[in-house]
Amino acid sequence: MNMLRKEESYTVDDIYALPDGERAELIDGQIFYMSPPGRTHQKISMLLSNEIVSHVRRSKGKCEVYAAPFAVFLNRDSKNYVEPDICVVCDTEKLDEKGCHGAPDWVIEIVSPSSRMMDYYTKLFKYRDAGVREYWIADPAKKRVTVYSFEQGSMMEYLFADEIPVGIYEGFSIKMEQE
């Protein structure tokens, strides 16, 4: 007799039940624990967040910018919960005190050794399928940013030294390496 082993499936309630200080994401009912970010990760997060917030303010935009930890209920279900390093949400109807319900317009993940597979593969497909418009993978080890424009169906790679155009904002680019 063939027996199929049933894998445990988790929900957002399990994420909220984690002990204080423990962070994890939930993708298709599977929990993925997160290690604390390092200094380089945080430096990149601050640089990008500041650049994006400054641009939104200068252009009097309505989009809101959030840095991790910030809850994104990606598929508006109880089986998917992520905390992107940075997300930009232009449809403020998706926002409440708990976080973002649905896909942000722009998501940036900063790669760490423990998140490489998640950022380059698992999250790439989850974000695309959920309706994220643009996804950046900033990789400090390679000093490279991979930009996916899901609306255009394109992928481009840039070095940190390059001016990286932001697809959701015309005329806005970011240089990761500051002079």
Side-chain angles (χ1 to χ4, degrees):
M1 183 164 115
N2 251 350
M3 296 284 289
L4 290 177
R5 199 183 103 214
K6 181 181 182 271
E7 284 195 32
E8 186 106 23
S9 185
Y10 297 93
T11 68
V12 171
D13 291 338
D14 295 304
I15 295 292
Y16 281 107
L18 291 173
D20 281 349
E22 196 165 323
R23 290 180 51 213
E25 294 179 307
L26 184 67
I27 296 180
D28 297 328
Q30 297 303 301
I31 289 181
F32 296 90
Y33 293 93
M34 297 162 42
S35 56
R39 186 180 69 84
T40 300
H41 180 284
Q42 290 303 88
K43 195 172 176 180
I44 291 169
S45 177
M46 289 296 294
L47 174 126
L48 288 169
S49 296
N50 287 333
E51 291 285 322
I52 298 164
V53 166
S54 293
H55 175 77
V56 170
R57 282 189 178 146
R58 275 192 313 272
S59 62
K60 296 182 177 23
K62 64 178 177 72
C63 301
E64 296 191 20
V65 183
Y66 297 95
F70 180 73
V72 175
F73 305 93
L74 203 52
N75 296 352
R76 299 178 192 248
D77 63 15
S78 65
K79 299 284 185 190
N80 290 280
Y81 167 96
V82 293
E83 292 182 2
D85 290 315
I86 300 169
C87 66
V88 177
V89 181
C90 298
D91 178 0
T92 56
E93 293 290 312
K94 293 180 179 179
L95 298 170
D96 68 12
E97 280 306 307
K98 284 190 172 185
C100 177
H101 301 269
D105 293 85
W106 180 16
V107 170
I108 301 172
E109 292 288 2
I110 302 162
V111 177
S112 61
S114 64
S115 73
R116 186 166 295 283
M117 289 296 287
M118 286 289 288
D119 295 337
Y120 276 104
Y121 300 102
T122 309
K123 287 184 177 179
L124 168 67
F125 297 110
K126 286 306 289 185
Y127 290 147
R128 182 196 66 195
D129 293 347
V132 169
R133 294 167 56 200
E134 186 166 347
Y135 177 43
W136 286 24
I137 303 171
D139 194 329
K142 296 179 179 180
K143 292 199 172 289
R144 182 178 73 197
V145 177
T146 307
V147 176
Y148 292 90
S149 173
F150 296 130
E151 289 180 320
Q152 263 100 53
S154 67
M155 185 272 284
M156 297 287 293
E157 288 189 338
Y158 299 91
L159 299 176
F160 276 18
D162 295 336
E163 287 284 338
I164 306 168
V166 178
I168 70 164
Y169 291 116
E170 196 172 316
F172 175 45
S173 63
I174 297 175
K175 191 172 186 173
M176 302 281 291
E177 279 184 359
Q178 302 295 305
E179 309 299 312

